[in-house]
Amino acid sequence: MKLAARVGKVSPSLTLVISAKAKAMKAEGLDVCSFSAGEPDFDTPAHIKEAAKKALDEGKTKYGAAAGEPKLREAIAHKLQKENGLDYQAENVIVTNGGKHSLFNMMLALIEEGDEVIIPAPYWLSYPEMVRLAGGTPVIVSTNAATGYKITPDRLRASITPKTKLFILNSPSNPTGMVYTPAEVKALAEVIVENDILVVSDEIYEKILYDGAEHLSIGAVGSEIFGRTIISNGFAKAFSMTGWRLGYLAGPVELIKATTTIQGHATSNVCTFAQYGAIAALTQPQDCVEEMRIAFAARRQVMFDSLNAIPGLSCPKPNGAFYLFVDITKTGLKSLEFCNKLLDSHHVAAIPGIAFGDDDCIRLSYATDMASIEKGMTRLEQFVLNVT
Ligand SMILES: *Cc1c(COP(=O)(O)O)cnc(C)c1O
């Protein structure tokens, strides 16, 4: 069979591959400590499940509007106004099958052959692949631990060419957990406005912050940047709703209309009764979000302390998301070899940094129980002592 050329431009998601291998080992009865999955280990809060069940019982089982249930679009617009200082109405919002889908739809609506999209590395592994699938060219700008894995305004400015269409900002970041300060966000906004490009801000981890870190949504910096901003967000991380497949895109009406047309031919609306769970998530008390954040904070501390006590490994202290991005240079191994050996010999699953554009690091997720973290860190130490 001759497959379309576009398939050859992308590779399968390495995070999903390693997670699947770890799962298969677990199914065989092996005791695997898994730090690979990018999802909270908590169950979805009960009131959200109840709202979806009620909608199901009430017969909310039919096709809905492609852009989403009007009530949910309104609730999202309200959230963006109130929490993020973004002047959006329901018409500025489309509900999508997860944050991943919102980004993909947006790329299809915006990017074409010859367009360059600036992506700071380490990056979430789907960004460059989405750009390629849309026909554009990812322009990867590497960063390192010395700058907190953040792109500086000068690096951004230097990467812009006449072909640059879009800059992807992800704060808090997956895979590094780093958070841009409000001052850093403002400085990047200036460069974007000066050069008249667009920015998509992936804010899926905005609620998962530590040590007083503050999330500033770039569109709230001023009216000039607001018109050049697209927001991607979703329910997966803050509300532990990964399997529900619920996200959204917000931006200029013109773009939202275009993504709605695309979505109307691809998936139509997101599962109707699931959307009622999302309405409950946004409109009911937010205690569940804070409870999960507090649990993540305690795990982060334990994992960070044990990890930096291992000779040969180091990582900066992240103040967001639920990942540590660990420098393995001193072990002499590259990331894929490190992760494969670690999983095979010590039954610890981690994601090789090469998946995120940095082969000298690995990503560990602490969205798992404390006992697994303690056991896994001991195994990791034994592994590193053996290989170095
Ligand atoms: C998890 C994640 C998303 C979206 O995930 P969905 O499950 O599709 O909502 C988007 N961006 C980043 C960086 C993520 O880690």
Side-chain angles (χ1 to χ4, degrees), residues 10-276:
V10 295
S11 32
S13 163
L14 254 185
T15 37
L16 298 183
V17 171
I18 300 248
S19 300
K21 186 171 169 189
K23 263 186 198 157
M25 287 170 69
K26 267 187 193 166
E28 278 172 33
L30 293 170
D31 173 26
V32 177
C33 294
S34 189
F35 305 126
S36 57
E39 64 179 334
D41 55 320
F42 304 105
D43 194 5
T44 300
H47 66 280
I48 298 174
K49 294 202 283 191
E50 283 311 319
K53 283 186 209 166
K54 182 164 168 278
L56 189 52
D57 288 340
E58 282 172 356
K60 302 256 170 30
T61 56
K62 304 294 186 193
Y63 286 136
E69 290 294 293
K71 256 192 178 165
L72 178 53
R73 292 175 76 196
E74 260 164 43
I76 293 166
H78 183 71
K79 177 255 181 245
L80 292 167
Q81 289 166 17
K82 201 178 58 160
E83 292 183 358
N84 303 109
L86 301 166
D87 187 18
Y88 288 128
Q89 310 302 320
E91 61 176 357
N92 296 104
V93 175
I94 176 174
V95 181
T96 59
N97 289 285
K100 190 176 263 185
H101 188 221
S102 74
L103 291 163
F104 187 77
N105 279 343
M106 180 272 298
M107 298 284 184
L108 281 191
L110 212 56
I111 301 303
E112 58 192 353
E113 214 69 40
D115 287 341
E116 293 179 356
V117 178
I118 298 175
I119 306 174
Y123 45 74
W124 187 45
L125 73 182
S126 293
Y127 298 145
E129 309 300 51
M130 287 174 178
V131 171
R132 286 190 192 101
L133 283 171
T137 308
V139 174
I140 308 296
V141 181
S142 62
T143 68
N144 55 36
T147 60
Y149 292 113
K150 297 182 218 178
I151 190 170
T152 60
D154 286 342
R155 291 295 305 283
L156 175 60
R157 193 178 289 112
S159 312
I160 295 173
T161 76
K163 291 181 176 170
T164 305
K165 179 104 185 222
L166 178 70
F167 167 59
I168 303 183
L169 178 64
N170 174 219
S171 176
S173 152
N174 175 4
T176 68
M178 303 311 269
V179 180
Y180 286 77
T181 65
E184 288 166 343
V185 171
K186 285 178 192 157
L188 292 175
E190 265 178 39
V191 178
I192 291 159
V193 170
E194 247 169 52
N195 291 277
D196 195 19
I197 61 171
L198 299 168
V199 58
V200 60
S201 182
D202 181 349
E203 308 193 341
I204 195 97
Y205 294 101
E206 64 165 336
K207 302 278 184 183
I208 308 177
L209 297 168
Y210 315 107
D211 300 338
E214 216 185 298
H215 169 76
L216 173 63
S217 188
I218 193 164
V221 168
S223 58
E224 287 185 306
I225 187 72
F226 180 65
R228 294 175 173 85
T229 299
I230 302 150
I231 303 288
S232 177
N233 205 332
F235 297 84
K237 310 293 162 56
F239 298 100
S240 197
M241 293 170 70
T242 45
W244 290 61
R245 312 311 303 132
L246 269 160
Y248 55 89
L249 191 74
V253 171
E254 194 184 4
L255 173 69
I256 298 307
K257 278 193 178 151
T259 50
T260 303
T261 302
I262 291 171
Q263 181 156 303
H265 290 297
T267 56
S268 298
N269 63 288
V270 173
C271 172
T272 306
F273 50 86
Q275 292 188 60
Y276 285 82

